[in-house]
Each structure stands twice: as C-alpha cells, then as structure tokens.
Amino acid sequence: MLVGTLLALPALAIAADNTVNTAAGEVFVDPNGRSLYTFSKDKKDRSICNDGCAAKWPPLPVNPATEMLYGSQSGFSVIRRDDGSKQWAYQGAPLYRWFKDMKTGDIEGAGIKGVWPLARADDVTVRLYNDDNRRYLVDDNNFTLYTFDNDEKGISNCYGNCAAYWPPALVDTQNMASLTLSGDFGVTERKDGNVQWTYKGMPLYRWIKDTAPGQTTGDGVKDIWHMVPL
C-alpha cells in the first residue's frame, strides 16, 4: 500500500543562495538572509500593505542585490506598488520581511493573525498560526492540525469513525511525482490510497469541532490528540 521510496525517504533540503533552512523548513530569503513572507490579504500581483503595515512588513524591493537572487528564478516577478516603487512577488504573491526577524533563520512573523505565511521554497502546504500566545501547525485554511498518540511513525491508525471526527490532512496527489519537502515534513499513504501530511513522521489531522481558523478545541481530547507547537 505504501507509495514506496518517495514516502520512505527523509524530507529533501533545498540548498540555494536565496533560501535558508528554518525551524519550519526551507524558506526564501532576502540578500541579508532574512526570511520572506506573503500576505493573505494581497491580491495577485498587487500589494495592499502600505504605510504602517509596510513599516512592520518591509516589501522586498527590486535592486541590484535582489536582482542577483531572483532575476533569473522561475516563479519570481516584479510588481509595481501604490507608491510607484517596485517589489518582488513569488507566483503572484508580493514578498515581505518582518521587522522583528533579526538574524538568518528567524521566522518570528510566521502566521501572525493567520495572514502572514512563510514564502516556502518547497511544496509543503502546512502553515504556522500565531495567536499571540503560541505558534502551531495549521492547514492551508488555518485550521489547526493534530497528532494521534495511537499512530506510529509513518502509519495512520485513524480510520472509520475516527477519521470522520479527525479528517486526515491530505496532500494534493496530482503533483506527487515532483513533490519537494523540507524540514520535518513528510507524507504517508493511507489504506484508501490517499496521501497524508506528516510532521516528524506523525500523521496530521484536523478536528471536526474546530469551526474557525486558529481554534484548538481538539488539543488534549482523551489525552491522545495533540496540537503541534513549533
């Protein structure tokens, strides 16, 4: 049933001058090694982060240094900001830094208010959510992800009624052949053939009673379900 070598291999690191390995995996960076982010409220090829927003989230400017990093990279493009300046975007999403990131590998801005995801350099769709008190794993809709104590590394034991209450966090299998992973993220195939995200080998799930982004009502259920801090 297993997908074979793809699922058995560890997550692949992506070594490049314009990326850095962080606690969450490989992330695009600016010329000073500071992590890059996108803003969920932006439109494709248009930034709405101006004034006070831009003071805390400086846009990645177009200049000779950033041209060296991204000028010939697939997926990167240049957009025009409201003030007329130019900014880099990745797959149409404008790119920013976070003013509290002080050194290479810092990701203090990740998931703030649920609208500042990291600009990942891999295909992992798992995100971070920061509720001002803690930072934890969520899916691409900001619903909290959990692990199950009765699972084994790389193997889900949650099926039937269990999976109805704890839907597995599934991978888009259309791109499995070229899927690139980094950090502690991986995948495992379920008995029904679906592929599920894992973190440190443990399969990830949502909780049916979480009805809004950032809710963590599944944490500690029966002492065997746990949210995943990072």
Side-chain angles (χ1 to χ4, degrees):
M1 289 297 296
L2 294 181
V3 173
T5 56
L6 172 64
L7 302 187
L9 289 172
L12 299 176
I14 311 163
D17 291 340
N18 57 14
T19 68
V20 68
N21 186 40
T22 73
E26 207 75 11
V27 175
F28 289 114
V29 295
D30 74 359
N32 295 315
R34 292 175 63 189
S35 300
L36 297 179
Y37 303 84
T38 60
F39 184 32
S40 298
K41 295 184 178 181
D42 280 345
K43 306 298 183 183
K44 187 177 184 339
D45 296 322
R46 180 166 183 265
S47 169
I48 63 168
C49 179
N50 298 298
D51 303 322
C53 173
K56 292 184 177 180
W57 297 93
L60 182 64
V62 177
N63 57 36
T66 56
E67 285 274 9
M68 288 283 292
L69 287 182
Y70 297 114
S72 61
Q73 292 290 305
S74 175
F76 288 85
S77 59
V78 175
I79 65 167
R80 183 79 65 174
R81 294 180 52 77
D82 290 349
D83 63 6
S85 63
K86 294 180 179 180
Q87 177 179 2
W88 286 104
Y90 180 60
Q91 297 180 344
L95 294 168
Y96 306 85
R97 285 76 50 86
W98 170 237
F99 80 121
K100 291 186 179 179
D101 284 347
M102 296 289 110
K103 63 183 185 300
T104 298
D106 282 353
I107 52 170
E108 298 303 312
I112 288 179
K113 296 183 179 179
V115 295
W116 290 98
L118 289 161
R120 300 191 65 97
D122 59 16
D123 297 317
V124 176
T125 59
V126 177
R127 296 185 176 188
L128 299 179
Y129 193 95
N130 187 331
D131 65 6
D132 292 331
N133 295 310
R134 52 193 175 174
R135 191 176 66 194
Y136 45 93
L137 298 187
V138 295
D139 67 10
D140 54 359
N141 292 311
N142 283 331
F143 281 87
T144 302
L145 297 175
Y146 301 88
T147 58
F148 181 35
D149 283 353
N150 291 345
D151 280 347
E152 303 164 62
K153 283 199 172 183
I155 300 174
S156 169
N157 292 314
C158 182
Y159 293 94
N161 286 337
C162 174
Y165 283 98
W166 298 91
L170 298 180
V171 180
D172 180 359
T173 56
Q174 291 183 350
N175 300 313
M176 283 298 295
S178 60
L179 189 71
T180 304
L181 308 174
S182 69
D184 290 313
F185 293 99
V187 296
T188 186
E189 187 173 14
R190 295 175 57 78
K191 292 178 181 178
D192 58 7
N194 285 317
V195 180
Q196 183 174 3
W197 287 111
T198 66
Y199 180 71
K200 294 185 176 179
M202 298 303 292
L204 297 172
Y205 306 83
R206 300 184 310 279
W207 168 230
I208 195 172
K209 293 186 179 179
D210 283 343
T211 58
Q215 288 185 347
T216 58
T217 64
D219 189 36
V221 169
K222 296 184 179 179
D223 292 326
I224 54 175
W225 291 95
H226 311 283
M227 61 184 290
V228 187
L230 193 152

